[in-house]
Amino acid sequence: MSKLFNYYSKLKSFVLLLMCRYSEGRRLWTTVTTSIRQFTRLIWVSVKENGAKDLVEKKSAVNLAVAFAFATKHYLRREFSYDYEDLKVLLGGAPKFSGSPSGKKMPEIKDHLVVAYDINTPSNIPLEIAYHLSAYVKAVTANGTLDSGMVLLVNGAVGSLTDTLGNFEKILRTPIPLSYAAHLYHILGIYLLSLPFQLVNTLEWYAIPCLAFTGFCLLGILQIGWEIENPFGYDDNDLPLDDYCWTIRHEVEQITSTKFKEPEEWIMTMENQPLVPYCKENAIDLSNTTLEDLLNKLKEAGALSMTKHKTRKEWEREQKKKKKI
């Protein structure tokens, strides 16, 4: 039985190795999401608008950033066309670096001797989008609508997208070695065939359900490993790339649906009460006081927060008592 558990632990380590590919793929998609959010925030806030033309260019650049997620999804699934509906509408009139492929999915490569540079990739659309984003950053920097101090941050977001694409390719184009997989299958088959002779003298008839359960566990663990080797496909056990992409698109569209407001437009309003709950004066009234009075009120609010109102719940409880009185 000790040999059984030793082999089980080795097989489990193999599955955990493949699980690292799955978790790494999820981590990389988080990086893509963060980078697109970063690019959108910087462009939408930092690029100045001298007219409708600048706003159209900003929205087009943001759409290209979202298109990077959809293009990466199709690229990882070996779909190399510009004409997918979820991608085409975001690309707009962006120039293509190569002729548009037929749109059919490339067949899976079965020969384990084929290496990455032997694969005829019609186009690397995510990389093309990264070039277009960099070109836009260069243009808005040259015409002065983007401050030079923000260029490094925006280019950093684009560079993060490119780095992530390379890490995706590392997972996609680094399969489990065929010799390792074949050896694992052979050893598992031989082990399961020889296991009855090791257990029958000890367990007698109980060896039958024990063998069935052992085979179910070992073969199931092995199959799980192969299921998650490539986490970018359409299987139920793969990463939900479509959900990730549409979530990014909805977030960005919601943010860009309104024009960016200057802080004065929402800070200096009647609704803004900076010192709540300790002072109910709004921002306009507070701004009309002297600096010394405002500092005293801030000091008083800080003292109350440290003593009388240590937690929000305590403050709410006190407010309820006042209402009853």
Side-chain angles (χ1 to χ4, degrees):
M1 293 297 292
S2 61
K3 295 181 179 179
L4 173 63
F5 288 112
N6 288 336
Y7 190 83
Y8 178 84
S9 62
K10 292 179 181 179
L11 193 60
K12 185 178 179 180
S13 64
F14 165 73
V15 177
L16 291 176
L17 175 64
L18 295 178
M19 278 294 294
C20 292
R21 299 163 64 92
Y22 188 91
S23 60
E24 177 69 6
R26 183 63 186 95
R27 185 190 68 81
L28 292 173
W29 267 105
T30 302
T31 304
V32 169
T33 302
T34 303
S35 299
I36 293 175
R37 289 170 177 170
Q38 177 84 336
F39 181 87
T40 301
R41 178 178 63 84
L42 293 172
I43 293 299
W44 205 247
V45 174
S46 302
V47 176
K48 302 174 184 177
E49 300 171 11
N50 298 323
K53 178 177 177 293
D54 293 331
L55 183 58
V56 171
E57 290 179 351
K58 286 171 59 173
K59 178 59 176 175
S60 301
V62 169
N63 286 346
L64 273 182
V66 177
F68 182 93
F70 285 92
T72 301
K73 176 193 70 174
H74 291 297
Y75 180 79
L76 295 176
R77 291 174 173 175
R78 303 181 58 75
E79 301 165 346
F80 303 103
S81 174
Y82 300 92
D83 298 326
Y84 292 102
E85 290 299 326
D86 55 359
L87 177 62
K88 184 178 180 180
V89 67
L90 294 170
L91 288 176
K96 301 176 177 59
F97 282 44
S98 59
S100 179
S102 61
K104 295 182 179 180
K105 183 177 180 179
M106 290 187 66
E108 292 291 337
I109 296 175
K110 301 298 183 181
D111 188 356
H112 68 282
L113 297 178
V114 175
V115 292
Y117 53 78
D118 289 329
I119 301 175
N120 182 21
T121 303
S123 58
N124 191 329
I125 300 177
L127 186 60
E128 295 179 18
I129 292 174
Y131 275 97
H132 294 318
L133 293 177
S134 296
Y136 171 76
V137 174
K138 179 181 178 181
V140 294
T141 304
N143 62 27
T145 54
L146 178 65
D147 294 335
S148 58
M150 303 299 296
V151 176
L152 185 62
L153 294 176
V154 179
N155 280 330
V158 179
S160 177
L161 293 175
T162 307
D163 292 341
T164 306
L165 179 62
N167 289 323
F168 277 135
E169 291 174 334
K170 179 178 66 175
I171 297 175
L172 183 67
R173 296 178 177 173
T174 311
I176 300 299
L178 181 63
S179 57
Y180 183 85
H183 181 71
L184 191 62
Y185 269 113
H186 293 161
I187 292 298
L188 180 58
I190 294 172
Y191 180 79
L192 291 177
L193 289 175
S194 61
L195 190 60
F197 301 99
Q198 303 177 40
L199 299 180
V200 66
N201 293 330
T202 305
L203 300 179
E204 297 180 349
W205 288 103
Y206 292 104
I208 296 176
C210 182
L211 289 172
F213 179 75
T214 302
F216 172 79
C217 292
L218 296 180
L219 292 174
I221 291 175
L222 188 62
Q223 187 60 33
I224 290 172
W226 299 127
E227 279 287 324
I228 60 178
E229 180 186 8
N230 179 7
F232 306 125
Y234 288 96
D235 294 339
D236 293 335
N237 294 321
D238 292 331
L239 293 170
L241 303 186
D242 294 285
D243 292 342
Y244 299 157
C245 292
W246 282 104
T247 299
I248 297 171
R249 180 173 177 179
H250 291 323
E251 288 178 352
V252 172
E253 287 182 346
Q254 186 176 11
I255 292 173
T256 57
S257 62
T258 57
K259 186 179 180 298
F260 169 70
K261 294 184 178 181
E262 296 295 333
E264 291 184 359
E265 298 180 34
W266 54 269
I267 291 179
M268 305 306 297
T269 60
M270 299 288 291
E271 292 79 11
N272 182 24
Q273 297 176 336
L275 301 182
V276 165
Y278 313 108
C279 177
K280 294 185 178 181
E281 294 186 67
N282 59 60
I284 298 176
D285 294 337
L286 290 173
S287 64
N288 292 328
T289 61
T290 63
L291 180 60
E292 184 178 357
D293 291 340
L294 182 58
L295 290 174
N296 289 333
K297 290 180 180 180
L298 289 172
K299 183 178 181 180
E300 181 181 355
L304 288 172
S305 66
M306 295 297 293
T307 57
K308 191 174 181 180
H309 303 299
K310 294 183 179 180
T311 65
R312 179 72 180 181
K313 289 184 178 180
E314 291 177 353
W315 178 81
E316 291 177 350
R317 197 179 299 118
E318 182 177 324
Q319 295 299 314
K320 289 181 181 180
K321 291 181 179 178
K322 290 182 179 180
K323 289 181 180 179
K324 291 180 180 179
I325 297 174

